[in-house]
Amino acid sequence: MTDAPNHQLLSVRGLKTQFDLREGLIKAVDGIDLDVHKGKTLCIVGESGSGKSMMARSVLQIVTAPGRVVGGSMVFSRDGKTSVDIARLDPKGREIRSIRGRDIAMIFQEPMNSLSPVHTIGDQLVEKVLLHHRIGVKAAVDRAVEALDRVGIPDPRRRLASYPFQLSGGMRQRVMIAMALSCRPAILIADEPTTALDVTTQANILELIRTLQLETGMGVMFITHDLGVVAEIADEVAVMYLGRVVERGSVEDIFYRPQHPYTLALLDSIPKPGTRHTSGQRLKAIEGMVPHPLNRPDGCPFNTRCPEAVKGLCERLEPALRELGTQHHAACHMRDPAYADTRTVVEARA
């Protein structure tokens, strides 16, 4: 078996992450399937509370107690030849700690919560390199300088002596990317990395990630609620709602051939290019809010907010993720041939 140009780096199947609380059981991630390919970007979208960040933390086994991965598999293969199921590893064991940062790196929305305020940028970068590579301190410093230079930090060697508070928000985010890429990971997980940045800095960060991806061939899992960003950078898209993937497909499928009512509602809630809005005109909003996981609806998790919900069906049976086309899947009864008659009735009422 050869290392194919776009081989599958990560295959997630049936992943479940739960929190067993006094108030009840929270199914934060409830049986999702995802793939990350070399050189490709998978965008995970959905409203706050959909389980996007918890899914990402599950991949790295950094779920805060009492949460834990309770089911499914996460098979990682850097070279397409050997593989390891991350779900089977001890979250505190040596093997998963060697994968974190070295093979799969993660950057977060707010770098000040991830960077130590009492250590210099250089100390933090060099420590990470030394943790994952058997090289000397001088070589680690050179690697840190190289990483800062690659992400566009001016005068990178001098910046090693800077503290995080001495840098702007955009610069701190670049430092986080430099730390993530310093060990040359196969997969970069970016959890809302541009949400707190201004539009210009956001564009620069997205262009930086895209350029580094082209140079290194890393796979990217990009978590966001911004569909404009998705349209710009995604190869594939997974739409999450209440811990489940409700639709998955190419960026063209999701934007031009969406099938799940939730995906349609998300797309309707953003401005359309070329559309003029009169003063006071509002965009469409999705009715209601994402329910708390402890109040998860029976049947389809979206049925309480869905304009296509069929009484007696959608609140009773949970739909399976069905293949609708090549690599295009959606979990909706209205897209299931078994309920074609029901769909006809709904369309007749419209």
Side-chain angles (χ1 to χ4, degrees), residues 189-209:
I189 300 176
D191 188 1
E192 301 271 12
T194 60
T195 299
L197 304 176
D198 62 77
V199 175
T200 301
T201 304
Q202 172 180 280
N204 291 336
I205 294 296
L206 293 176
E207 182 61 30
L208 170 62
I209 292 175

Side-chain angles (χ1 to χ4, degrees), residues 70-185:
V70 298
S73 63
M74 298 180 284
V75 178
F76 170 71
S77 176
R78 182 169 190 133
D79 58 8
K81 301 173 185 177
T82 58
S83 62
V84 58
D85 185 354
I86 296 174
R88 301 289 179 265
L89 301 180
D90 178 357
K92 297 180 180 179
R94 178 179 297 178
E95 192 170 3
I96 185 62
R97 284 189 281 115
S98 70
I99 291 175
R100 293 188 199 119
R102 185 192 67 187
D103 294 316
I104 305 177
M106 189 167 180
I107 55 177
F108 299 90
Q109 177 177 341
E110 180 44 69
M112 282 302 284
N113 293 336
S114 304
L115 295 171
S116 169
V118 297
H119 294 90
T120 65
I121 298 303
D123 285 343
Q124 296 178 66
L125 263 168
V126 170
E127 180 184 24
K128 181 178 180 182
V129 173
L130 291 174
L131 180 65
H132 292 290
H133 296 277
R134 294 181 178 179
I135 58 177
V137 173
K138 183 181 182 303
V141 170
D142 290 340
R143 177 77 70 86
V145 171
E146 177 193 3
L148 290 177
D149 184 56
R150 291 183 73 191
V151 300
I153 300 289
D155 198 358
R157 193 169 293 273
R158 183 174 66 86
R159 282 298 184 185
L160 292 178
S162 299
Y163 289 88
F165 68 85
Q166 295 175 308
L167 304 177
S168 67
M171 282 292 206
R172 287 196 293 266
Q173 195 60 279
R174 286 175 183 266
V175 170
M176 280 295 298
I177 296 172
M179 291 187 68
L181 299 177
S182 61
C183 293
R184 297 161 189 170

Side-chain angles (χ1 to χ4, degrees), residues 45-47 227 239-240 261-270 286:
V45 301
E47 296 167 283
L227 290 174
V239 182
M240 286 190 67
Y262 181 56
T263 309
L264 289 162
L266 288 175
L267 292 170
D268 282 343
S269 67
I270 62 173
I286 306 175

